[in-house]
Amino acid sequence: MTATLIDGKALAAKVREEVAADVATIGRLGLATVLVGDDPASHVYINNKHKAATAAGIEARDIRLPESTTQEELLDLVAELNADDTVDGILVQLPLPSHIDEPAVIAAVDPAKDVDGFHPVNAGLLYLGTPRLVPGTPLGVMRMLDEYEIPLEGARAVVVGRSSIVGKPMAHLLLQRNATVTICHSRTRDLAAHALEADVLVAAVGRLHVIRAEMVKPGATVIDVGMNRTEDGLFGDVDPAATERAAYMTPVPGGVGPMTIAMLLQNTVAAARARRAPTIASSQN
Ligand code: GUN
């Protein structure tokens, strides 16, 4: 068997078109991003987010602060953006410099503007099965699974990785769709035995080719969230030889990666709609 490749690049382009159409109907829509410090990868991510937001017609405000920014200054800025009615979405790029308390900053963002879906309120709503704003990467994976009509009801899903950004929200989204979900992590005994059971296998650990071909159940759907930069280029967490066993598989690059930014834009639309909804309701009174 050779897997059908799940084309994240094409699907992300489609989502971005949908977002642009939504933006045109909503009107003015604002996204503020905050980047603290000099991390080169973060600068590239933020540049890409801005390009995509602007292309979709979103007014993107690009705030870049020096490494020396204090926690108080950052919290003041977040409070200002929370209060700014022209801002629908706020994204504070992670990681933050080590002298800043990251959870405190995440918790300071207005949950209604938290387009990353990282705020404890949004994480809690997802846990309770009533999601509002959901992190972009797992949301993008769900969109890919739906686009390729991968059955989830009653399926065995194995998520490898338990980060708050990908693994945990991914597991909850799959659970909500009635998959039987296992979360594996660095202390899991016999990862191969778990992985081999998976109808849907999501690898999100950030370790080059940690999922070997023989760990994939024949006919499985394999989603590779890994982005491991090496001298030879960008590689995933799954050995590409797994395409010989999987029925569907995401490539790296061109799989999950492009979906993350597309879903950030979709979240910005969702936040804007939710923020405007009470106004529409009250104007009808
Ligand atoms: N750093 C790595 N991924 C992300 C993300 O999705 N959002 C933010 N804010 N920071 C990140």
Side-chain angles (χ1 to χ4, degrees):
M1 185 184 300
T2 298
T4 298
L5 291 182
I6 297 179
D7 189 344
K9 214 171 148 188
L11 183 54
K14 184 173 158 183
V15 172
R16 284 160 65 159
E17 274 175 31
E18 290 168 3
V19 167
D22 287 341
V23 172
T25 61
I26 295 171
R28 221 187 142 276
L29 216 140
L31 170 68
T33 66
V34 182
L35 173 55
V36 184
D38 312 314
D39 179 57
S42 290
H43 277 266
V44 172
Y45 291 141
I46 284 289
N47 289 343
N48 290 339
K49 286 170 186 179
H50 269 266
K51 257 187 251 165
T54 307
I58 295 171
E59 278 179 31
R61 198 186 307 174
D62 187 355
I63 302 165
R64 303 199 190 202
L65 302 172
E67 182 86 16
S68 58
T69 303
T70 66
Q71 170 143 339
E72 196 186 355
E73 285 167 336
L74 184 54
L75 290 175
D76 283 348
L77 170 66
V78 169
E80 209 177 287
L81 296 171
N82 285 342
D84 186 337
D85 207 38
T86 66
V87 173
D88 294 290
I90 301 169
L91 179 147
V92 181
Q93 185 66 25
L94 306 180
L96 288 166
S98 56
H99 65 276
I100 292 178
D101 179 353
E102 210 166 81
V105 174
I106 291 169
V109 173
D110 179 350
K113 296 187 178 188
D114 169 38
V115 286
D116 261 330
F118 295 167
H119 190 284
V121 164
N122 286 319
L125 286 169
L126 175 58
Y127 163 90
L128 292 171
T130 53
R132 203 160 58 186
L133 289 166
V134 175
T137 301
L139 194 60
V141 171
M142 295 309 287
R143 178 71 192 260
M144 292 172 124
L145 294 171
D146 285 341
E147 194 76 13
Y148 284 76
E149 298 180 351
I150 308 301
L152 297 175
E153 178 99 10
R156 298 286 306 252
V158 174
V159 179
V160 188
R162 55 174 158 179
S163 72
S164 301
I165 294 181
V166 185
K168 282 183 198 163
M170 186 77 253
H172 282 289
L173 288 167
L174 290 163
L175 179 61
Q176 224 189 315
R177 296 287 295 276
N178 300 318
T180 300
V181 183
T182 301
I183 303 176
C184 296
H185 47 78
S186 53
R187 310 286 172 87
T188 295
R189 284 187 212 133
D190 203 352
L191 173 62
H194 288 285
L196 261 172
E197 292 276 308
D199 302 308
V200 176
L201 179 62
V202 181
V205 263
R207 279 181 54 200
L208 183 71
H209 299 172
V210 66
I211 304 295
R212 301 184 308 274
E214 68 269 23
M215 294 161 76
V216 172
K217 179 176 171 178
T221 296
V222 179
I223 305 290
D224 190 350
V225 185
M227 297 237 276
N228 305 294
R229 277 173 215 288
T230 75
E231 281 180 3
D232 299 326
L234 186 66
F235 295 96
D237 289 351
V238 182
D239 185 336
T243 49
E244 294 307 318
R245 287 167 68 98
Y248 292 90
M249 188 156 148
T250 59
V252 176
V256 176
M259 292 300 292
T260 299
I261 291 181
M263 301 322 278
L264 163 69
L265 304 182
Q266 188 178 290
N267 276 347
T268 307
V269 166
R273 283 213 167 111
R275 290 184 65 245
R276 282 155 179 71
T279 315
I280 293 163
S282 63
S283 70
Q284 287 170 344
N285 288 338

